[in-house]
C-alpha cells in the first residue's frame, strides 16, 4: 500500500468510528432530548417507575391540595390523560390551577409522579411549542380558527369535531 492509500484508509476508518460513536450517543439520548413528556406520552411510552423525566401539562382545576410541611398534591393533564403529582417544597409564585406546569421527578410504583422540582410558566401569553402541539393534536385548538384558548380553560374544553 502506498502512503496515500494508507492515509485514506486511516481517514475512512476514523470517520466510520466517529459515525458509530455519534449514533450510539444519539440513541442513548433519544428519550431525554424531549423537553417534557405529557401524561398521554407517559402512558404510551410505559416509563418504568424510578426513572427521572420531566412531566408537563396543565394543573387541573380543583385538584390542588395543600398538606402539612409544604406537601402539595395536584393533577397534571393534557386533555387526554391525567397524572397525580406530589411535591414537597415551595411552589413558584405563578403556580395555580389551570396553568401550564413542567415538573421534574419520577414515577412511583403506584402510578403517581413524585416531583423534586416544579416550574410554572412565566406569563399568560407564553405557550411552549410542545403544549401548542399537544392542544392541536387533541383537537382543542386549531390555529386557523384564531388564537389558542386561555390557559385556565384548557382542562375544561371538549375536543372540537370538524364538520
Amino acid at each position: 500500500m502506498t502512503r496515500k492509500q494508507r492515509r485514506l484508509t486511516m481517514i475512512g476508518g476514523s470517520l466510520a468510528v466517529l459515525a458509530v460513536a455519534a449514533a450510539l450517543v444519539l440513541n442513548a439520548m433519544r428519550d431525554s432530548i424531549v423537553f417534557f413528556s405529557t401524561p398521554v406520552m407517559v402512558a404510551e411510552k410505559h416509563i418504568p417507575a424510578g426513572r427521572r423525566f420531566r412531566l408537563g401539562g396543565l394543573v387541573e382545576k380543583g385538584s390542588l391540595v395543600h398538606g402539612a410541611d409544604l406537601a402539595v398534591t395536584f393533577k397534571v393533564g393534557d386533555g387526554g390523560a391525567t397524572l397525580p403529582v406530589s411535591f414537597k417544597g415551595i411552589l413558584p409564585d405563578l403556580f395555580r390551577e389551570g396553568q401550564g406546569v413542567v415538573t421534574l421527578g419520577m414515577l412511583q410504583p403506584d402510578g403517581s409522579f413524585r416531583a423534586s422540582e416544579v416550574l410554572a410558566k412565566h406569563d399568560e401569553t407564553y405557550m411552549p411549542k410542545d403544549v401548542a402541539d399537544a392542544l392541536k393534536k387533541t383537537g382543542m385548538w386549531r390555529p386557523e380558527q384564531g388564537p389558542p384558548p386561555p390557559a385556565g380553560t384548557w382542562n375544561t374544553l371538549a375536543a372540537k369535531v370538524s364538520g
Side-chain angles (χ1 to χ4, degrees):
M1 236 196 258
T2 65
R3 293 177 86 192
K4 187 175 183 178
Q5 289 174 329
R6 273 188 275 157
R7 190 177 323 131
L8 288 175
T9 303
M10 288 295 290
I11 291 172
S14 299
L15 288 175
V17 168
L18 184 62
V20 168
L24 289 173
V25 167
L26 290 175
N27 187 41
M29 292 178 52
R30 179 179 31 176
D31 291 334
S32 63
I33 291 175
V34 176
F35 180 65
F36 65 83
S37 297
T38 64
V40 167
M41 292 168 68
V42 171
E44 289 172 354
K45 290 182 180 179
H46 303 291
I47 297 175
R51 181 167 167 224
R52 292 179 60 82
F53 66 98
R54 289 183 181 99
L55 172 69
L58 301 170
V59 179
E60 291 201 344
K61 289 192 180 281
S63 69
L64 181 61
V65 178
H66 292 275
D69 297 327
L70 300 176
V72 178
T73 60
F74 55 93
K75 291 182 181 176
V76 173
D78 62 358
T82 61
L83 200 58
V85 177
S86 62
F87 174 69
K88 189 169 184 176
I90 298 173
L91 291 170
D93 290 338
L94 295 176
F95 181 90
R96 61 183 60 92
E97 293 176 341
Q99 295 292 328
V101 66
V102 175
T103 60
L104 174 64
M106 62 183 70
L107 279 177
Q108 300 300 301
D110 65 358
S112 66
F113 186 83
R114 178 166 298 186
S116 59
E117 185 177 348
V118 174
L119 306 171
K121 69 179 199 161
H122 64 281
D123 67 34
E124 284 297 315
T125 59
Y126 172 74
M127 182 185 309
K129 181 181 182 317
D130 294 337
V131 172
D133 292 344
L135 287 173
K136 290 176 195 173
K137 184 178 177 182
T138 60
M140 291 188 172
W141 176 47
R142 294 204 171 93
E144 65 273 4
Q145 295 176 347
T153 64
W154 290 347
N155 287 332
T156 61
L157 295 174
K160 297 178 184 175
V161 179
S162 61

